[in-house]
Amino acid sequence: MSWTRKILRVNLSDGSCTSEPLNMEWANQYLGQRGLASKYLTEEVDPACDALGAENKMIMATGPLTGTMASTGGRYSVICKSPLTGAIACSNSGGFFGAELKFAGWDMIIFEGQSAKPVYLYIQNDKAELRSAEHLWGKSAWETDDIVRQTHQDPQLRIACIGRTAEHGCLYSAIMNDKHRAAGRSGVGTVMASKNLKAVAVRGTGGIGNVHDSKAFMAATNDGKAVLAENAVTGQGLPAFGTQVLMNVINGVGGLPARNMRDVGFEGAENISAEAMAEPRKSDGKANLTTNGACFSCTIACGRISTVNPEHFSVKDKPQYQGNSGGLEYEAAWALGADTGVDDLDALTYINFLCNEDGMDPITYGCTVAAAMEMFEDGVITTEHTGGIELRFGNAEAFVAITEQFVTGEGFAADLGLGSKRLCEKYGRPELSMTVKGQEFPAYDPRGIQGIGLAYATSNRGACHLRGYTIASEVLGIPVKTEMNDTDGKAELVKAFQDATALVDSAGLCVFTTFAWGMDNIAPQIDAACEGDWSVENCLETGERIWNMERLFNEAAGFTADDDTLPKRLLKEIIKSGPTEGQVNRLGEMLPQYYEARGWTADGKIPQETRQRLSL
Amino acid sequence: MQKSLHIDPGKCTGCLQCEMACSYEHTGTFNPSRSFIKVFTFHHEGRFAPYTCTQCDEAWCVRACPVDAISIDAATGAKVVSDDKCVGCKVCTIACPFGTINYSQSTGKVVKCDLCGGDPQCAAACPTDAITYIDADWTGYDRMLASASKSLPSAEVTA
C-alpha cells in the first residue's frame, strides 16, 4: 500500500491533534501529495475564502513513494489557498522532512483554524503536540531550526519552519525545511504565519514496511535508477552543473529575459552561470560551488552547496555567511540576477542565502525587485521611498542593502513584500508586473519560446515552470524536439506535460526525473508500491483529473478565461535583438486549441461531459 | 580474498540510499533510523560522510562481550551479533572507539554492520560509488594513485 493510511489533523484554534484514517477512495482517484491534498482542500475549504483567514487550511502532504528507495522519493507538498494569487497553491519541496513525516506514520497533516499565540508542532511517531513558540517568533528559519533541535536534543529531528518575512506579512514567503529546501512559491509560508504556526518538527522511527509488492518494487526502482544514471541530463548534467546548466543554454537560444523582461538576452549571463560557479576565485583559490548535494533518496543530486567569497563586500564582516549553504539554482540565479541586471555571483549567492534564511521565494522576490527597479529608473519610485537606496538595474550594492532591510521588515520591505502585481498597482504602473494570476514568471521568455507561454497562461498556480515544463521539448528536445517559435501542436504538448507533472507531484517523486523517465518508467514503480491499478493509462488520467480539479477550485475562487493570459509586454512588445528578434508570444493562436484539447468550452469552462469522463 | 567496505566521503551526496538499503536488508522496512550505516552531513563545511563498522581484526566489541555473542564470519571477516546470545548489556557499545555498534530499543539487542553476508547492500545501492566493497589490501589504491599522479611532471595523466 505504501500510504500510511493516517492523517494528522491539527486544529490550531482549539489546540487539538487528532488521528483519522486516510480516505482510500480518494487515494485511489488522486494518488497522494498534490492530487490527494488538493482533493481534501477542495472538499473542506471554500475557494472564495480569505487566504489569510481562519477558514483557509494548510496541508502538508507526502506521496505514496515518499520515504521509499524510489529515486527522488522524498518529497512533500504544501497545499492551501494562496494569499499571493487567490488561486490554489501547491508548493513542492525536497530535503528530508517529507520522508521523516512518513516514517512517523503520517501521510499528511491538515492544519485548520488559527492559534491565538505562536506555536510549533512537535511530532514523535504517533505522538503529536503543539508547544509554545513565543521564544521562536522573530527568529529566522535558520535560528528556529537550531533552537528547536537544541530543545529536543535530537540531531535526527527534521524541521520545516517559516522565517521572519512570513511574520511581517510578505505575501510570497516560503516554508523552509532542512535549512535550504523550500516549499517556495505562492506564499504558503505566509499562510503558515497567519495561523501563528512557526515550525513543524518531526521524528519518525517506524519506517515504511508496507510496500504492496516489495520484490516488484525493488526491481522497478532499480530499473528506474539505471535509466537516470545512463541519461546525459540526469546522470551527468544535473549532478555536475545543477539546474544552472541552463543559464548559458537559454541565453544562447534567445530565451533569457532580463531587466524585468524589458530585454531578452543578458550580457552578464556567463558571470552567473554554472560554469562561473565552478571557476576557482583569485582570492582564495576556491570555487563558489563546493559540491553537489542530494535530497532524500535522490540518485541525481542536482543541489548546489556553495560559499560566498569571504572577501566579498556582502559577507566580509559576517562569518556566519562565509560557510557553505544552499547555492544558486537556475530560477533563483535568473530572477535575482538577470531580471535585476545584477551579474555579481557572490552578491546573488548571498541574497539567495538570505532568501533561505528568512524564507522568501527568490523568484517572486527577484522579479518584484526588478519591477521596482524599472519604476525607479522611470522616476516613479525614488530614493525617498527606498530610504536613499539607488535601486537601479545592475546595482548589486543596492540589491544587497535592500534585501538586508527586507528580511528584518525595515525600509521599503512592506512595499516589496506585496509582490510585483500589488506593488505596480500601488505606484500606478500595473503593466510593469510580469505575472500571471498575480505570480511572477520564472526564467524562460515566452516570446522566444511559444509553448511555455501557453503553460504559464494556463497554470493553475499562476506563472510557473513546474506545472508544464515544455522547455524540455522546445529547447532540450526531451522527449522529442519541437520548434521554439511554432505554435502548432503546443496545446497538446502543454496538456501532456501538465497532466504528467500532476501525477509525478502526487507520487512523491521529483519532476526532474522526467528528463529521463517517461510514464512507462514511473507507473510500474507506483503500481508495485500501491494497491489498485496504476497502469500508464490510469496514471495519465489521474494527472488529468487532478489538473481539472485544481481548475474547478480556481473557477469557484472567481477566476475565468480572462485570467489565462500574459502581460501585454509579452504579447505586444517584440524582442529587440538576438536569435529571437522580432518575436512576441502568440497565445491567441494556442489558447483555443488548448481548451479544445482539454475538452473545455470555448470560454475555458469544464463541461459536464468532461467532468463525467474524469469522475469529477 | 577478504574484502572490506571502502568509503570515499568526497563522492557522497547525502542521498541516504545506503541507509535505506541497509534497513531494508535487515528489517524489511525503509527506515534510516534502523540502518547500521549512517551518513553525516556537515552543513557549514558542505561535506557528507557515510560511516559504519570497519570490522576491526582485533575487535573491541568482541573482547568486551561477556557472553560471546559477537562472532567472526569466517567467509567475510565481519563481526556478527547473535541475537540468541546478546543480553543487551551494552558493554560493547562502551568498548567500541568508533561508536559503530549500538543498542536498539526495538529489539533489546545491539546491532552493527554484518556486511550482509558478503554482499553489502549499502555499496550496491550507492549511486556515486562513495561506498564500494573491494579487496581489503587495496582500500588506499585510489588515493595513492591520485597522490602519485600529482608527483608527475606532466598533469596529463589518464591512468
Side-chain angles (χ1 to χ4, degrees):
Chain A
M1 35 195 206
S2 229
W3 297 279
T4 69
R5 296 186 173 225
K6 261 170 54 191
I7 290 179
L8 177 61
R9 189 176 291 274
V10 178
N11 186 314
L12 291 152
S13 296
D14 68 15
S16 62
C17 300
T18 48
S19 169
E20 66 183 50
L22 185 72
N23 185 322
M24 287 309 295
E25 193 188 327
W26 291 352
N28 287 323
Q29 278 189 305
Y30 296 94
L31 189 56
Q33 202 159 324
R34 174 175 163 188
L36 187 54
S38 296
K39 175 65 176 170
Y40 272 88
L41 190 80
T42 301
E43 295 289 334
E44 296 190 11
V45 168
D46 175 5
C49 76
D50 172 7
L52 299 178
E55 60 274 36
N56 194 9
K57 298 191 184 185
M58 185 188 93
I59 306 176
M60 288 178 161
T62 66
L65 298 190
T66 305
T68 72
M69 270 183 92
S71 186
T72 77
R75 303 194 72 90
Y76 80 105
S77 290
V78 182
I79 292 89
C80 58
K81 176 171 170 163
S82 161
L84 182 71
T85 65
I88 193 165
C90 171
S91 290
N92 186 306
S93 182
F96 298 83
F97 176 83
E100 198 73 20
L101 184 60
K102 199 82 177 284
F103 296 146
W106 305 102
D107 286 315
M108 56 173 91
I109 314 172
I110 301 178
F111 293 96
E112 50 194 34
Q114 274 172 335
S115 174
K117 289 182 173 172
V119 290
Y120 74 98
L121 179 68
Y122 176 52
I123 301 171
Q124 248 191 325
N125 293 324
D126 53 354
K127 290 186 198 127
E129 61 177 7
L130 290 168
R131 296 188 168 205
S132 170
E134 293 199 61
H135 62 301
L136 300 171
W137 212 253
K139 303 287 185 197
S140 75
W142 289 0
E143 290 167 330
T144 300
D145 190 292
D146 289 340
I147 295 168
V148 173
R149 197 172 300 285
Q150 278 165 11
T151 301
H152 296 283
Q153 298 192 326
D154 186 349
Q156 299 297 303
L157 207 57
R158 304 292 188 185
I159 296 160
C161 61
I162 51 171
R164 290 174 290 180
T165 62
E167 296 175 14
H168 300 147
C170 162
L171 289 174
Y172 46 87
S173 287
I175 297 174
M176 303 304 304
N177 59 278
D178 306 285
K179 287 201 168 165
H180 60 101
R181 288 283 144 196
R185 302 222 71 190
S186 311
V188 296
T190 315
V191 172
M192 185 158 161
S194 77
K195 301 195 171 302
N196 256 330
L197 178 67
K198 181 68 179 177
V200 180
V202 59
R203 180 81 169 101
T205 59
I208 293 170
N210 65 352
V211 168
H212 175 60
D213 181 343
S214 56
K215 202 173 162 193
F217 182 72
M218 294 305 273
T221 55
N222 282 334
D223 288 350
K225 286 175 210 169
V227 172
L228 293 177
E230 286 156 17
N231 181 279
V233 177
T234 52
Q236 295 158 31
L238 283 173
F241 299 110
T243 52
Q244 271 277 66
V245 71
L246 289 164
M247 185 64 74
N248 288 328
V249 173
I250 301 298
N251 198 38
V253 298
L256 191 76
R259 288 172 283 268
N260 200 35
M261 306 186 95
R262 205 174 64 182
D263 307 315
V264 173
F266 181 47
E267 66 286 350
E270 266 183 42
N271 300 336
I272 60 170
S273 67
E275 291 81 352
M277 287 171 72
E279 190 72 27
R281 308 185 269 255
K282 288 193 183 98
S283 58
D284 61 1
K286 289 182 184 166
N288 173 282
L289 178 73
T290 301
T291 187
N292 63 322
C295 295
F296 182 90
S297 206
C298 175
T299 58
I300 304 172
C302 73
R304 303 292 91 186
I305 312 288
S306 287
T307 58
V308 182
N309 183 350
E311 300 294 314
H312 189 262
F313 77 86
S314 61
V315 302
K316 201 160 187 194
D317 303 313
K318 301 166 195 155
Q320 70 270 34
Y321 297 107
Q322 293 175 4
N324 283 274
S325 196
L328 287 166
E329 314 288 348
Y330 173 60
E331 308 299 336
W334 168 77
L336 300 173
D339 207 37
T340 65
V342 172
D343 68 351
D344 179 334
L345 183 65
D346 285 302
L348 299 183
T349 304
Y350 172 63
I351 292 168
N352 192 58
F353 282 3
L354 296 185
C355 286
N356 287 341
E357 183 179 20
D358 271 299
M360 66 266 200
D361 170 10
I363 301 178
T364 286
Y365 177 65
C367 294
T368 301
V369 171
M373 285 173 163
E374 185 162 3
M375 289 193 282
F376 190 93
E377 303 226 331
D378 287 354
V380 178
I381 289 174
T382 67
T383 48
E384 282 187 24
H385 299 107
T386 62
I389 295 173
E390 289 282 328
L391 202 58
R392 294 187 184 282
F393 283 127
N395 187 342
E397 288 82 3
F399 194 10
V400 164
I402 211 148
T403 305
E404 288 179 340
Q405 286 187 0
F406 186 77
V407 296
T408 58
E410 294 158 20
F412 200 45
D415 276 359
L416 289 176
L418 295 169
S420 71
K421 181 166 180 275
R422 290 169 177 85
L423 179 78
C424 292
E425 282 168 359
K426 180 173 174 178
Y427 286 90
R429 300 291 301 276
E431 75 282 4
L432 294 184
S433 168
M434 294 299 112
T435 51
V436 172
K437 299 182 178 77
Q439 178 159 284
E440 286 71 10
F441 285 91
Y444 314 89
D445 198 290
R447 286 166 288 193
I449 311 164
Q450 296 296 328
I452 198 70
L454 178 63
Y456 291 155
T458 58
S459 159
N460 287 327
R461 70 167 185 179
C464 172
H465 56 297
L466 295 170
R467 285 296 172 275
Y469 192 72
T470 60
I471 300 303
S473 168
E474 297 180 281
V475 178
L476 306 173
I478 301 168
V480 285
K481 182 81 174 84
T482 53
E483 288 307 314
M484 281 170 38
N485 198 31
D486 277 358
T487 56
D488 286 350
K490 293 295 166 72
E492 291 75 15
L493 184 76
V494 167
K495 176 184 180 295
F497 271 83
Q498 288 173 337
D499 293 348
T501 304
L503 189 282
V504 172
D505 287 347
S506 302
L509 300 173
C510 176
V511 74
F512 288 179
T513 57
T514 58
F515 285 117
W517 288 352
M519 201 52 77
D520 53 338
N521 299 111
I522 295 166
Q525 301 187 56
I526 302 172
D527 195 55
C530 303
E531 293 149 332
D533 164 28
W534 296 102
S535 61
V536 169
E537 296 72 25
N538 194 36
C539 282
L540 290 172
E541 190 183 278
T542 301
E544 187 178 6
R545 180 180 301 121
I546 293 163
W547 189 267
N548 279 268
M549 174 180 59
E550 291 172 341
R551 175 89 175 180
L552 287 171
F553 183 98
N554 287 350
E555 202 177 288
F559 288 89
T560 68
D562 291 344
D563 299 297
D564 295 337
T565 190
L566 298 170
K568 208 169 119 195
R569 174 168 279 178
L570 307 179
L571 297 171
K572 304 280 187 202
E573 291 179 22
I574 59 165
I575 294 176
K576 287 169 267 182
S577 61
T580 48
E581 185 178 344
Q583 288 179 209
V584 292
N585 188 271
R586 308 197 299 280
L587 182 66
E589 293 172 20
M590 299 180 284
L591 197 58
Q593 295 170 5
Y594 173 82
Y595 287 162
E596 193 181 340
R598 282 234 167 261
W600 296 349
T601 63
D603 60 350
K605 292 258 168 48
I606 306 175
Q608 195 56 35
E609 62 187 75
T610 301
R611 293 187 201 202
Q612 264 171 6
R613 177 172 65 80
L614 296 169
S615 312
L616 280 163
Chain B
M1 175 184 73
Q2 193 182 323
K3 294 172 92 174
S4 66
L5 283 176
H6 177 52
I7 291 173
D8 181 349
K11 290 181 179 171
C12 179
T13 65
C15 73
L16 308 192
Q17 282 278 337
C18 55
E19 294 193 15
M20 280 184 290
C22 179
S23 61
Y24 183 73
E25 173 72 14
H26 294 97
T27 71
T29 61
F30 302 119
N31 190 356
S33 71
R34 293 190 66 185
S35 169
F36 307 151
I37 187 165
K38 183 82 210 131
V39 178
F40 292 90
T41 298
F42 299 89
H43 187 85
H44 196 75
E45 293 76 15
R47 296 286 178 225
F48 307 97
Y51 205 72
T52 189
C53 174
T54 56
Q55 316 293 349
C56 313
D57 269 11
E58 294 188 38
W60 281 267
C61 59
V62 174
R63 292 188 172 201
C65 181
V67 294
D68 292 335
I70 305 172
S71 58
I72 300 172
D73 182 325
T76 64
K79 313 301 172 290
V80 181
V81 179
S82 164
D83 277 0
D84 291 341
K85 290 184 186 166
C86 176
V87 295
C89 74
K90 314 178 196 66
V91 171
C92 56
T93 69
I94 299 165
C96 175
F98 310 104
T100 53
I101 184 162
N102 286 284
Y103 178 69
S104 168
Q105 291 181 49
S106 58
T107 61
K109 313 285 177 187
V110 294
V111 292
K112 70 177 289 300
C113 171
D114 59 3
L115 294 175
C116 298
D119 183 17
Q121 293 301 295
C122 53
C126 180
T128 61
D129 288 340
I131 307 167
T132 49
Y133 190 53
I134 61 169
D135 186 332
D137 288 353
W138 287 106
T139 54
Y141 185 84
D142 285 348
R143 207 172 292 178
M144 214 193 298
L145 176 69
S147 187
S149 74
K150 284 182 200 153
S151 67
L152 294 177
S154 162
E156 289 163 31
V157 178
T158 52

